[in-house]
Amino acid sequence: MSQRRISGFSKKSQQEKTAWLVTQYLSEFPEAKSLFDTYRHPDLKRQQRHDDFIENALTNYYLPYAVAPNFNINGTLYALPMAIEESSVIAAASNAAKFWLDRGGFKAEVLGTEKNGQVHFNYFGKKSVLTSFFAEIKSELIASIAALEKNMKSRGGGLIDISCIDKTEALEGYYQLHLRFETKDAMGANFINSCLEQVATTFEAKAATYAPFISNDSFPEVVMSILSNFVPECRVKASVSCPLESLTFGDMDGQIFAEKFVRAIAIAHADPRRAVTHNKGIMNGIDAVVLATGNDFRAVEAGVHAYASCDGKYQSLTHARIENDQFHFWMEIPLALGTVGGLTSLHPLANLSMQILQQPDAETLMQIVAVAGLAQNFAAVKSLVTTGIQKGHMKMHLMNILSQLEASPDEKKETITYFDDKVISHSAVTSYVKSLRKKASS
Ligand code: MEV
């Protein structure tokens, strides 16, 4: 136990860290060291780039990287780069893209690009004193971030405004400075946080010498300053529509399909349990593109799910209706994304994704990502209300099982043919592959 306690770990070299970990935690796993080594890039410079992203980096964690082609978004044809491990996501995205390619494609529009952050502070004095103080020092708060804002301003961004908000109904003595920003093509997290911390410092310094606070012996006290990942003012809409007759699938009539589809969306509005799974399917598409482009998928996830609960109940992010024999399907979501700075330029594959997408600006990337989510949801709900998802899922799962069994190319081919019209399960596939191997060795 005591040997597992370590200080100065971050100062050790990657080799020392790996050796320590292997000795302390992986002594029963002989391949551990070689696994760590194998997944490191042989080109030291490239590997260093990845090691530098985080502290205590030991190796790389691979995820499949794919493209889903044929996405017509506002008349431009895209191949969407996607990084994801879930077997059916790329196939579903590609199918949905192809489906809508023949029906006018996807439309997308940005509804706003504003980001925000807060300086959260305590104040237990008279509100009128705080209000006067804020009015007096507001321009000085803004002036104090002039140097930080310089570059962003030259790109057309910067602070939009600061307001002082009374949050005492939610929590006694709680106020905040609410700052709104435009960050153009940057996600802007570092810029926003730097501005907030500077504003907080100026705010406290000014408060310390403000006579009415001194005479009342009651000063505002900053608790913390941080951007918000809830960005409902940075929103994008993606949509599709087509006549009902072009929604016919096999022997399912277009009208019937559309009615079932609209009902499925209504269920995801009515029931939070269904809504969570429904929205998870949307995030399959969103996260995969967000990750492939080096953006912060945790920020996107947090913001999107908060938005799904905006009306006080967790609901579907997508909407659908039938009107005048037309099927309409759409979604509005908040998305704070960047196409400059951060990992987008540092990670070679994130950079490659940007090239594949023809170097989009942040607004175009918002549109592309929203479409990826809408397409994914269309594919999932379409499967759910027609064949069910297991048929497609298990086909892709078959490949994973075959990989686990280290099947040869011939074994894979034979197994795929054999299971074409059969129910796939782990045990059925294992025993079939075993039978092939037995036959081959006899
Ligand atoms: C699986 O990753 C996603 C789905 O469950 C989404 C949904 O149910 O709508 C298929």
Side-chain angles (χ1 to χ4, degrees), residues 86 88-89 274-282 284 376-377 379-381 383-384 389 393:
E86 191 173 323
S88 55
V89 168
R274 171 58 199 145
V276 171
T277 318
H278 177 94
N279 290 344
K280 186 272 183 186
I282 295 170
N284 279 343
Q376 206 66 42
N377 188 231
V381 176
S383 292
L384 288 169
I389 59 156
H393 260 223

Side-chain angles (χ1 to χ4, degrees), residues 17 41 53 58 65 76 83 91 102 112 127 134 148 150 189 212 259 307 316 318 324 337 354 409 416 429 431:
K17 284 172 190 152
H41 201 286
F53 289 148
L58 302 178
Y65 177 101
T76 301
D102 300 331
K127 184 178 168 184
F134 177 71
L148 291 171
K150 201 163 169 251
E259 281 168 7
Y307 188 72
S316 163
T318 51
N324 301 330
L337 301 176
M354 291 301 178
I416 291 166
V429 175
S431 71

Side-chain angles (χ1 to χ4, degrees), residues 338-371:
T339 53
V340 296
L343 214 60
T344 40
S345 36
L346 287 174
H347 195 300
L349 283 179
N351 195 267
L352 193 69
S353 298
M354 291 301 178
Q355 309 284 345
I356 294 170
L357 294 173
Q358 310 294 294
Q359 302 283 23
D361 57 16
E363 292 197 25
T364 309
L365 187 60
M366 285 167 76
Q367 296 174 352
I368 292 169
V369 169
V371 164

Side-chain angles (χ1 to χ4, degrees), residues 206-346:
K206 295 281 160 200
T209 58
Y210 188 64
F213 287 147
I214 296 170
S215 58
N216 288 313
D217 195 23
S218 184
F219 298 86
E221 179 199 20
V222 171
V223 177
M224 59 188 167
S225 310
I226 187 74
L227 92 171
S228 173
N229 289 125
F230 185 51
V231 285
E233 298 83 15
C234 185
R235 219 163 69 247
V236 57
K237 177 177 179 178
S239 62
V240 284
S241 65
C242 73
L244 292 183
E245 71 250 22
S246 52
L247 283 174
T248 301
F249 290 106
D251 50 12
M252 193 185 277
D253 171 75
Q255 171 92 32
I256 297 198
F257 168 79
E259 281 168 7
K260 271 191 110 174
F261 193 102
V262 169
R263 189 71 180 157
I265 304 293
I267 287 170
H269 278 271
D271 176 31
R273 283 183 190 270
R274 171 58 199 145
V276 171
T277 318
H278 177 94
N279 290 344
K280 186 272 183 186
I282 295 170
M283 300 315 286
N284 279 343
I286 290 181
D287 283 348
V289 183
V290 169
L291 200 54
T293 56
N295 273 280
D296 183 344
F297 63 92
R298 287 86 54 210
V300 167
E301 281 275 349
V304 166
H305 291 296
Y307 188 72
S309 328
C310 244
D311 292 341
K313 181 179 130 194
Y314 190 91
Q315 295 186 35
S316 163
L317 291 159
T318 51
H319 306 264
R321 70 162 191 271
I322 298 168
E323 198 173 85
N324 301 330
D325 293 333
Q326 282 276 126
F327 169 74
H328 299 275
F329 179 48
W330 73 99
M331 170 174 78
E332 271 184 38
I333 48 162
L335 275 181
L337 301 176
T339 53
V340 296
L343 214 60
T344 40
S345 36
L346 287 174

